[in-house]
Amino acid sequence: VQLQASGGGLVQPGNSLRLTCVASRFTLDTYAIGWFRQAPGKKREGVSCISSSDGNTYYTDAVKGRFTISRDNAKNTVSLQMNNLKPEDTAVYSCAAAQKCTWHRSSFGSWGQGTQVTVSS
């Protein structure tokens, strides 16, 4: 079972994108869902997470105030709204599931193919 991220693209600095994470064979609201990104030559890093139990949200410092994670249980999706994008946000973004939110990548599973986000003028 894998998650699928979509919604990436090429945008200019200051613009926005909305990424969506979908699952085909399980219900996302029973899991914490995390968004991660990996830029060329860098390790994969956690960007944001939304818990399953209380809906708490978490963000890495680099994206606080610019990114918003949310769930749509009716559509079985988790979205990442990214505003005021910067060139340093350029990366492949992926979503994954865990029992609870954590920045430890090893706690997450069901990794799927990510989506490329490129921020450039």
Side-chain angles (χ1 to χ4, degrees), residues 4-85:
Q4 182 64 48
S6 63
L10 171 62
V11 296
Q12 293 184 339
N15 283 1
S16 301
L17 280 174
R18 186 176 183 86
L19 305 184
T20 301
C21 178
V22 298
S24 60
R25 297 185 180 181
F26 65 94
T27 304
L28 289 182
D29 65 2
T30 60
Y31 294 90
I33 302 299
W35 282 98
F36 294 79
R37 66 186 180 186
Q38 186 167 20
K42 295 186 177 182
K43 292 183 179 180
R44 180 178 285 174
E45 64 171 348
V47 175
S48 182
C49 187
I50 185 166
S51 67
S52 60
S53 57
D54 52 19
N56 282 349
T57 58
Y58 305 88
Y59 302 92
T60 191
D61 287 345
V63 308
K64 283 181 180 177
R66 300 189 296 122
F67 290 13
T68 303
I69 191 171
S70 61
R71 291 184 184 271
D72 186 333
N73 292 334
K75 295 182 179 179
N76 198 30
T77 60
V78 171
S79 296
L80 185 68
Q81 177 67 40
M82 307 187 297
N83 298 330
N84 190 24
L85 283 161

